[in-house]
Amino acid sequence: MSRAEFKACGGGSAARGRGPAQVGLGVNDSGGFLSNYTSRLDAKGRVSIPAPFRAVLARDGFEGLYVHPSLDVEAVDCGGHALLREIHGLLRPLSPYSEERDLFSTALIGTSEILKIDSEGRVNLSESVKAYAGISAEVSFVGHDFKFQIWEPGRFRTHLAEAKSRLHDFRRQLSARHVAPDSPPPRPHGARE
């Protein structure tokens, strides 16, 4: 996507304080959650789930919105049947009474909630969800294919910057591994022999 296309679809506008950030189309080929959006909570503490995300939830057939605190970031994982299938797929190979299964079950099921989505596509975030994610006035919805996350926008921007930095470092490491050990280093552009 070009910079002009990115700006045309609203990309980055939330970071500049001009409203919702909308990058991409919201749904990928597999029918999962894609892109990110930022919205304000209304006076009653409700937030409208982005329309593309609502469409994915409707196709999924889950009544409401399944949420649980993320295991490794200060955000909330959300979804429907697809998210529950992933959780059950993680739990299934673990022994039923093992410590590992109990820990994952507690973190992913024992702390979960099912939030009601109203007829307007809004959800009222519980106090525990808002407290865990540090949400007060705005929410960022971030697609992760089979699930999406709810973030406090400032925390999401920090997390995104860190993710980009770590991926840049990782990419450099991968590139270094793919250089053949017997080949001479590349010559600088325009160098003569």
Side-chain angles (χ1 to χ4, degrees):
M1 174 181 287
S2 73
R3 186 171 281 164
E5 292 169 318
F6 177 78
K7 288 182 179 180
C9 70
S13 61
R16 294 185 302 275
R18 292 194 318 217
Q22 297 184 10
V23 182
L25 303 174
V27 181
N28 61 25
D29 291 339
S30 68
F33 302 100
L34 175 72
S35 194
N36 69 81
Y37 304 83
T38 297
S39 301
R40 296 191 64 77
L41 294 174
D42 69 13
K44 295 182 180 180
R46 298 172 300 191
V47 65
S48 184
I49 298 171
F53 286 16
R54 288 195 314 264
V56 174
L57 289 168
R59 282 193 306 274
D60 186 60
F62 190 81
E63 294 293 322
L65 182 64
Y66 183 82
V67 301
H68 68 82
S70 175
L71 294 178
D72 52 1
V73 293
E74 293 176 319
V76 181
D77 288 349
C78 308
H81 290 297
L83 174 56
L84 286 169
R85 278 192 298 275
E86 291 289 330
I87 291 170
H88 292 299
L90 174 70
L91 296 175
R92 193 172 298 111
L94 301 175
S95 176
Y97 293 99
S98 68
E99 181 179 9
E100 292 85 3
R101 186 177 180 130
D102 284 350
L103 291 172
F104 275 115
S105 292
T106 299
L108 299 174
I109 296 173
T111 61
S112 66
E113 301 176 41
I114 297 177
L115 305 178
K116 186 177 190 265
I117 300 173
D118 71 15
S119 61
E120 303 292 321
R122 297 171 300 197
V123 66
N124 196 342
L125 300 178
S126 68
E127 291 304 316
S128 61
V129 165
K130 290 190 283 189
Y132 184 80
I135 293 169
S136 59
E138 288 186 311
V139 174
S140 286
F141 296 88
V142 181
H144 283 255
D145 191 33
F146 67 92
K147 68 176 182 178
F148 64 91
Q149 291 182 321
I150 292 178
W151 286 81
E152 186 282 323
R155 287 182 180 179
F156 172 62
R157 286 189 297 273
T158 300
H159 175 72
L160 180 60
E162 181 183 328
K164 286 180 177 181
S165 175
R166 290 178 66 187
L167 284 173
H168 180 73
D169 293 344
F170 182 65
R171 187 172 175 201
R172 274 191 284 140
Q173 290 172 5
L174 285 177
S175 294
R177 288 184 206 158
H178 293 291
V179 173
D182 296 344
S183 64
R187 293 185 319 203
H189 181 68
R192 295 182 183 188
E193 295 198 22

